[in-house]
Amino acid sequence: MSFKHTFEQTSLREYDIRGIVGKTLHVEDAFAIGRTFASIVLKNGGKTVVIGFDGRISSPSLEEALVNGAVASGADVIRIGRGPTPMLYFASATLKADGAIMVTGSHNPANYNGFKMMLANKPFFGEQIKHLGHLSREGDVVPETKGTVKTIDIKKEYIERLLKDYDGGDRKLKVVWDNGNSVAGDILPALLDKLPGEHIILNGEVDGTFPAHHPDPTVAKNLEQIIASVKENKADLGIAFDGDADRIGLVDDKGGILWGDQILVLLARDVLKNHPGGTIIADVKASQVLFDEVKKAGGEPLMWRTGHSLIKSKMAETKSPLAGEMSGHIFFADKWYGFDDAIYAAIRVLGIVARMKEPLSAFREALPQTISTPEIRFDCDDLRKFKVIEEVAERLRKDGADVSEIDGVRVNTPDGWWLLRASNTQAVLVARCEGKSEAGLDNLKAALTRQLELSGLEKPDFSGDNAGH
């Protein structure tokens, strides 16, 4: 039977294939991804593809079509069932699979879903995703044949491996966990049962409609429930997950939020004890405080482009033991496999807090304080957004500004820094400013606004609350 399939163009993203179920993403797309991706694996000399899915309502039917597509290409499919995205990465690494696909909508609203892929245990992204779309459209796949399917339960093995790296001794912490109705709910009860301390789970039931709040722990509004619970229970800390448990949110004993870069400082100080001089990678949106603190702790800070696939690739290249993003993706190669895993990051955080003499809030309060805008996103046509960045960069170079062009433009001034970059996943520009004072922050906002106006864009809305950081 001949095969050809064209995807809705907007669903082929930089890091994954993603869309609105029933509108830009369909069961037929899932079959086509299985058929085409498995063809790529086979042409690459591989055979095994591991497949998992998250807790969204649409995930089981998409997973079934995905499996059927991969089997039709002759792949030997290993189904691991429902679980967190990092559990799929774990299965891929430990089973030495040739390819892996996770059906997940990550932190997107409930009506979204998507597919994250790995080829030979490396991220499958960017040009590779575009190429998959091209092969599917042209019907350039291996002849139809019949592969095999087996189902395994890897949860127990995953939990045991997570526990192996808990290094907090017997100190009993009181911890609030906001599962956020995420798929981590399939792991948490058995995991926490084996950890010392008292553990309180909020929204533990896996529910793809996310009735409690949106499944993104990097937005302060989504952490209101856990903050209240930490205070009410006088807990040592609170830990939250996104929809597929590859992004972490962290709240200290006073209910203060630790953002992605602050979590990374906490972890970097610990990791660098065993990796003196190690390269610690953070994305271009991270605070200058992070880069300074890594240096103070004896590490080599490296600013890199935003995007979990890009960070993972750079880690492998630089042999970095630890990396992180403002979005809450934390990547451990120290003792772990180099992929982003919020549950594993939580285990490492717990170990550190259990060994600390002071509360977690003391760590947060001791960091140099800055004032920053939230991440500001504003609409800009997909083609125009990259042109704007080029125009701004050219003007800044002419002005002799202190600018990094790793990912968009990040401009350092005596007042702090400002960033403007094009999103890889949406038709938006992303901006952020971090100042050493309120007056400094105003200067940075004015400099950013001026550059946007010179490129014919309106002033961005800075009305969101400035965050102390």
Side-chain angles (χ1 to χ4, degrees):
M1 192 174 80
S2 68
F3 164 84
K4 276 189 182 182
H5 179 83
T6 302
F7 295 100
E8 164 74 41
Q9 205 49 42
T10 59
S11 69
L12 301 175
R13 310 291 186 99
E14 178 70 13
Y15 313 120
D16 52 25
I17 297 174
R18 196 187 332 155
I20 299 167
V21 178
K23 284 191 175 177
T24 59
L25 194 71
H26 306 272
V27 167
E28 294 77 17
D29 296 313
F31 179 88
I33 291 163
R35 184 83 172 85
T36 314
F37 182 79
S39 292
I40 293 167
V41 168
L42 286 149
K43 287 175 185 173
N44 221 38
K47 187 80 168 152
T48 16
V49 178
V50 183
I51 291 175
F53 63 95
D54 72 7
R56 286 167 188 260
I57 289 157
S58 57
S59 291
S61 58
L62 292 173
E63 187 263 1
E64 191 177 344
L66 182 69
V67 169
N68 291 341
V71 169
S73 284
D76 293 336
V77 173
I78 302 171
R79 297 172 94 167
I80 61 164
R82 192 175 78 175
T85 291
M87 190 174 86
L88 176 91
Y89 297 156
F90 172 80
S92 180
T94 54
L95 299 170
K96 297 184 169 52
D98 303 308
I101 311 176
M102 181 72 186
V103 180
T104 178
S106 189
H107 59 285
N108 286 102
N111 57 337
Y112 278 76
N113 217 323
F115 305 83
K116 290 179 182 174
M117 291 160 283
M118 293 187 85
L119 183 65
N121 279 303
K122 289 182 179 156
F124 184 90
F125 69 105
E127 291 302 317
Q128 292 169 303
I129 289 175
K130 282 188 196 162
H131 185 56
L132 183 148
H134 168 76
L135 293 177
S136 177
R137 191 170 60 249
E138 298 299 317
D140 186 358
V141 293
V142 296
E144 185 167 340
T145 177
K146 190 80 176 146
T148 65
V149 186
K150 69 173 175 182
T151 302
I152 66 165
D153 187 351
I154 204 160
K155 288 187 182 71
K156 188 165 175 273
E157 203 180 316
Y158 176 54
I159 290 165
E160 280 171 5
R161 182 61 190 84
L162 288 165
L163 289 163
K164 189 178 163 215
D165 287 350
Y166 176 71
D167 54 5
D170 296 324
R171 184 178 163 202
K172 291 178 166 49
L173 297 170
K174 188 188 270 194
V175 189
V176 178
W177 300 78
D178 185 359
N179 180 55
N181 302 109
S182 84
V183 76
D186 284 340
I187 297 295
L188 277 182
L191 178 73
L192 303 184
D193 200 39
K194 293 196 166 84
L195 280 173
E198 186 183 335
H199 300 278
I200 299 151
I201 302 179
L202 308 175
N203 311 310
E205 186 190 346
V206 179
D207 184 338
T209 65
F210 305 109
H213 55 73
H214 187 72
D216 183 350
T218 61
V219 176
K221 187 174 182 294
N222 300 330
L223 297 172
E224 286 170 2
Q225 189 184 4
I226 193 172
I227 289 168
S229 185
V230 164
K231 290 178 177 173
E232 184 191 329
N233 288 289
K234 297 185 169 54
D236 294 294
L237 71 160
I239 294 166
F241 300 121
D242 75 332
D244 65 334
D246 63 0
R247 293 160 42 137
I248 189 171
L250 194 58
V251 171
D252 67 28
D253 51 291
K254 289 185 178 176
I257 299 168
L258 277 82
W259 301 106
D261 47 9
Q262 294 172 318
I263 298 169
L264 200 56
V265 173
L266 181 76
L267 295 167
R269 286 179 183 172
D270 191 57
V271 166
L272 286 167
K273 289 172 192 167
N274 293 324
H275 297 271
T279 299
I280 307 294
I281 303 172
D283 71 331
V284 73
K285 292 188 273 188
S287 167
Q288 186 57 41
V289 170
L290 163 75
F291 300 104
D292 295 344
E293 290 298 315
V294 165
K295 203 164 253 182
K296 276 188 215 165
E300 191 59 53
L302 175 65
M303 188 188 293
W304 198 240
R305 295 167 65 200
T306 293
H308 63 94
S309 301
L310 299 165
I311 297 266
K312 270 184 259 203
S313 301
K314 195 67 179 172
M315 276 185 93
E317 182 194 315
T318 59
K319 297 186 170 48
S320 160
L322 177 70
E325 291 186 275
M326 285 301 289
S327 57
H329 287 278
I330 304 285
F331 311 78
F332 273 94
D334 172 55
K335 302 181 189 174
W336 199 240
Y337 304 88
F339 57 73
D340 40 335
D341 187 335
I343 305 173
Y344 183 76
I347 292 285
R348 295 292 291 262
V349 165
L350 289 180
I352 293 167
V353 175
R355 286 181 274 117
M356 283 167 67
K357 291 182 171 58
E358 68 280 355
L360 185 55
S361 56
F363 158 80
R364 179 179 56 82
E365 288 163 356
L367 289 172
Q369 298 301 302
T370 60
I371 310 156
S372 59
T373 65
E375 191 175 287
I376 300 147
R377 303 171 81 82
F378 47 101
D379 295 341
C380 186
D381 178 77
D382 258 329
L383 296 173
R384 177 77 183 122
K385 66 186 181 185
F386 293 110
K387 192 84 187 93
V388 168
I389 299 297
E390 281 173 28
E391 292 165 7
V392 172
E394 196 174 327
R395 285 194 295 267
L396 290 166
R397 282 195 296 270
K398 276 185 186 159
D399 291 347
D402 176 3
V403 61
S404 161
E405 293 181 50
I406 287 164
D407 185 359
V409 290
R410 176 165 162 149
V411 186
N412 293 310
T413 82
D415 292 311
W417 59 270
W418 61 268
L419 168 75
L420 183 69
R421 60 179 288 274
S423 166
N424 282 316
T425 54
Q426 292 168 298
V428 296
L429 284 166
V430 181
R432 188 164 179 244
C433 309
E434 178 181 85
K436 295 169 186 172
S437 65
E438 286 284 3
L441 189 64
D442 287 341
N443 292 340
L444 295 163
K445 287 179 187 174
L448 169 59
T449 300
R450 180 172 172 271
Q451 288 297 336
L452 290 170
E453 286 171 345
L454 286 170
S455 282
L457 296 175
E458 287 179 26
K459 177 182 175 179
D461 179 10
F462 289 114
S463 63
D465 291 340
N466 293 339
H469 201 70

